[in-house]
Amino acid sequence: MSTPTPTPGAWPWSPGAGPCTAAEGVHYLVGRSEEVLAVLPVAPADRASAAALPPWRAVEYTASRTLLRALLREIGEDLRGGPVAARPGGRPYLPGRPDLGVSLSHSGGWVAAAVGGNSGVGVDVQTPAPVGDRLLRLCCSPGDAEALTALPEDSRRREFAWIFTVQEACVKAVGAGLSGRPWNVPVALGQRTGEWTGERTDGRAGERAETWGRVSWCAPRDRHPVPVGCAWTEPSAVPTGGRR
């Protein structure tokens, strides 16, 4: 699996910060909310939808959707002001474009957006935060949890964030939230690419799990100043529910 590479084309802020291609037909973009809103136009539909939100939420809402629209323009799929809608579970989608999977994320002043052609896609950005032993042991292998515990606080926060962004991105790609059990996605300390085949079950005794199929993922550790994970399903597998 190749390392994500920049998508050709000019970009309005710092060099190297433009769109990346994670796989054929899968693109993502990461930026600071304040930079996105300073240099890119906010669609009237997004501004109107954000008007009733608290100020901090309105910034996340408009910045993430503005970034998604910019990414779509870069890959030749300009919405031209068309809506970015959300399903009941919060997952964004593009009305009239069922062939495109989209995903949004925000954390601590950063936003991310991803698009997958004929694929489900998930993206997650995380600013490093304190993490307790219980969460480490839930999300990591015993060996990695022990290794993370031994790291200095700043390094432990950052390394765990790289792991958890991938786990979140994978369950987003299949349209699941916590029902996808992101902590069960195997991601090793320092791992940059991988695959996951998840199972869906409602937890009832005797209920047979349903597999989601193969999900590929990348953690572009040398590309971004903040932990980001991007995941995508095989083509022709755009989910309709679940999370962003």
Side-chain angles (χ1 to χ4, degrees), residues 7 15 81 109 145 179 197:
T7 299
S179 65
T197 301

Side-chain angles (χ1 to χ4, degrees), residues 93-176:
Y93 72 100
L94 307 179
R97 292 302 308 270
D99 57 313
L100 294 179
V102 296
S103 182
L104 302 172
S105 181
H106 48 77
S107 175
W110 288 85
V111 288
V115 179
N118 291 306
S119 299
V121 66
V123 70
D124 196 66
V125 60
Q126 297 274 341
T127 52
V131 54
D133 290 343
R134 182 178 179 182
L135 188 57
L136 282 178
R137 299 191 184 282
L138 177 65
C139 297
C140 306
S141 69
D144 283 350
E146 184 176 348
L148 285 165
T149 300
L151 290 176
E153 178 67 19
D154 287 349
S155 297
R156 178 167 60 252
R157 293 182 183 187
R158 186 170 184 81
E159 290 302 320
F160 178 77
W162 276 109
I163 291 172
F164 197 65
T165 54
V166 168
Q167 294 175 326
E168 280 278 292
C170 283
V171 296
K172 285 183 176 184
V174 297

